[in-house]
């Protein structure tokens, strides 16, 4: 089970939001590159970046901070990024800068043809991010709820050739009240590509619960507020996941 620290970027700073609310942001660091180095030193095997301003604006807004993080990491571990990625030129620019994966969320739902083209142009480098409330997909920084069922959309995008699916339960994100295990398992069981859980992990019990469903196709979890508020020690949590997880092949 891969534990992936999140670095959410707003106005060039590392923040965390509650339930995606841009007006409810807590600043955790003024130096995102230093934060990235910190996670690297603590043994992180992948980093998850979000351009929050970009997600709202529909175009990159924290590119300078993202490039500084990529430079700080220096290719030692894969870095994935979501938020404001709406065209192939942006994807190419980020991958050329050292990004391993782009995460396409809103654009995938609104413009499936773009996701299809991206998977064709950059095979193995495209992750789809599906954010949902009560099983229905939300877009535009979670501000708009669609009528799309998560599993139906995920199956469609799997056929396009996405590397994996990040599934976020909006109602739990930043609230530290546990991952929606039931919904995450249901999605993973319906797909052949891996599912990365997101939203609500706040304790070692959550890590244990996720490790129990690793065999269903849940390959990792994105961790945010719990790490930054000290409720979860990353090294301890990853050690537990390694102990309980399936042997890597």
């Amino acid at each position: 089970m891969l534990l992936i620290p999140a670095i959410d970027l707003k106005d060039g700073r590392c923040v965390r939001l509650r339930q995606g609310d841009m007006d409810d942001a807590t600043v955790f660091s003024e130096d995102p590159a230093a934060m990235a180095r910190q996670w690297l030193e603590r043994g992180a095997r992948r980093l998850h970046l979000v351009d929050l301003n970009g997600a709202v604006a529909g175009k990159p807004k924290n590119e300078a901070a993202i490039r500084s993080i990529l430079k700080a990491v220096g290719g030692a571990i894969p870095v994935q990024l979501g938020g404001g990625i709406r065209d192939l030129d942006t994807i190419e620019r980020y991958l050329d800068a050292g990004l391993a994966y782009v995460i396409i969320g809103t654009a995938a739902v609104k413009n499936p043809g773009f996701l299809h083209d991206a998977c064709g142009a950059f095979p193995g480098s495209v992750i789809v991010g599906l954010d949902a409330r009560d099983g229905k997909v939300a877009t535009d920084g979670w501000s708009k709820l669609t009528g799309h069922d998560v599993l139906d959309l995920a199956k469609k995008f799997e056929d396009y050739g996405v590397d994996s699916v990040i599934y976020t339960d909006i109602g739990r994100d930043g609230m530290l009240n546990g991952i929606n295990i039931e919904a995450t398992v249901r999605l993973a069981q319906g797909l052949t590509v891996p599912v990365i859980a997101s939203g609500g992990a706040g304790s070692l019990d959550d890590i244990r619960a996720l490790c129990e469903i690793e065999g269903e196709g849940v390959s990792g979890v994105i961790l945010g507020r719990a790490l930054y508020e000290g409720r979860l020690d990353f090294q301890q949590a990853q050690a537990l996941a390694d102990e309980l997880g399936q042997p890597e092949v």
Side-chain angles (χ1 to χ4, degrees), residues 86-87 104-117 156-157 160:
R86 304 284 195 274
D87 59 72
I104 301 176
T106 293
V109 181
K110 290 187 166 182
N111 184 6
F114 165 57
L115 179 67
H116 189 273
D117 290 347
K156 176 180 174 182
F157 296 156
Y160 289 177

Side-chain angles (χ1 to χ4, degrees), residues 109-147:
V109 181
K110 290 187 166 182
N111 184 6
F114 165 57
L115 179 67
H116 189 273
D117 290 347
C119 289
F122 309 103
S125 296
V126 179
I127 296 172
V128 71
L130 294 177
D131 308 325
R133 191 188 297 275
D134 301 323
K136 299 299 181 184
V137 174
T139 62
D140 298 277
W142 303 349
S143 62
K144 297 176 183 174
L145 203 60
T146 72

Side-chain angles (χ1 to χ4, degrees), residues 3-216:
L3 306 191
I4 311 172
I7 298 179
D8 290 2
L9 299 164
K10 180 174 184 272
D11 305 329
R13 299 182 293 183
C14 175
V15 306
R16 289 303 293 170
L17 306 183
R18 288 185 190 274
Q19 297 183 302
D21 185 353
M22 287 289 277
D23 294 325
D24 190 358
T26 305
V27 176
F28 285 104
S29 174
E30 299 282 347
D31 188 346
M35 185 62 70
R37 281 192 297 272
Q38 178 180 310
W39 293 127
L40 186 62
E41 289 163 4
R42 291 185 186 180
R45 296 166 198 167
R46 187 187 291 198
L47 288 179
H48 175 80
L49 312 185
V50 183
D51 182 346
L52 293 170
N53 304 99
V56 175
K59 58 185 177 182
K61 287 290 186 181
N62 283 284
E63 193 163 344
I66 291 159
R67 285 178 178 274
S68 71
I69 288 170
L70 292 172
K71 189 175 180 182
V73 171
I77 56 172
V79 179
Q80 60 193 41
L81 167 72
I85 297 170
R86 304 284 195 274
D87 59 72
L88 297 179
D89 287 343
T90 298
I91 296 175
E92 185 172 25
R93 194 168 71 246
Y94 275 136
L95 293 179
D96 285 347
L99 201 70
Y101 304 98
V102 293
I103 302 159
I104 301 176
T106 293
V109 181
K110 290 187 166 182
N111 184 6
F114 165 57
L115 179 67
H116 189 273
D117 290 347
C119 289
F122 309 103
S125 296
V126 179
I127 296 172
V128 71
L130 294 177
D131 308 325
R133 191 188 297 275
D134 301 323
K136 299 299 181 184
V137 174
T139 62
D140 298 277
W142 303 349
S143 62
K144 297 176 183 174
L145 203 60
T146 72
H148 296 293
D149 179 77
V150 173
L151 183 55
D152 290 344
L153 262 190
K155 283 182 174 179
K156 176 180 174 182
F157 296 156
E158 177 177 62
D159 290 341
Y160 289 177
V162 298
D163 174 82
S164 50
V165 175
I166 294 174
Y167 174 64
T168 305
D169 184 314
I170 297 169
R172 299 187 182 225
D173 187 73
M175 304 306 286
L176 302 171
N177 54 4
I179 293 275
N180 188 333
I181 294 288
E182 185 183 345
T184 304
V185 168
R186 194 162 55 240
L187 180 61
Q189 288 174 335
L191 302 173
T192 57
V193 298
V195 171
I196 298 171
S198 174
S203 69
L204 288 176
D205 285 340
D206 292 326
I207 304 303
R208 289 189 185 93
L210 284 164
C211 287
E212 287 177 9
I213 61 170
E214 189 173 4
E216 303 292 347

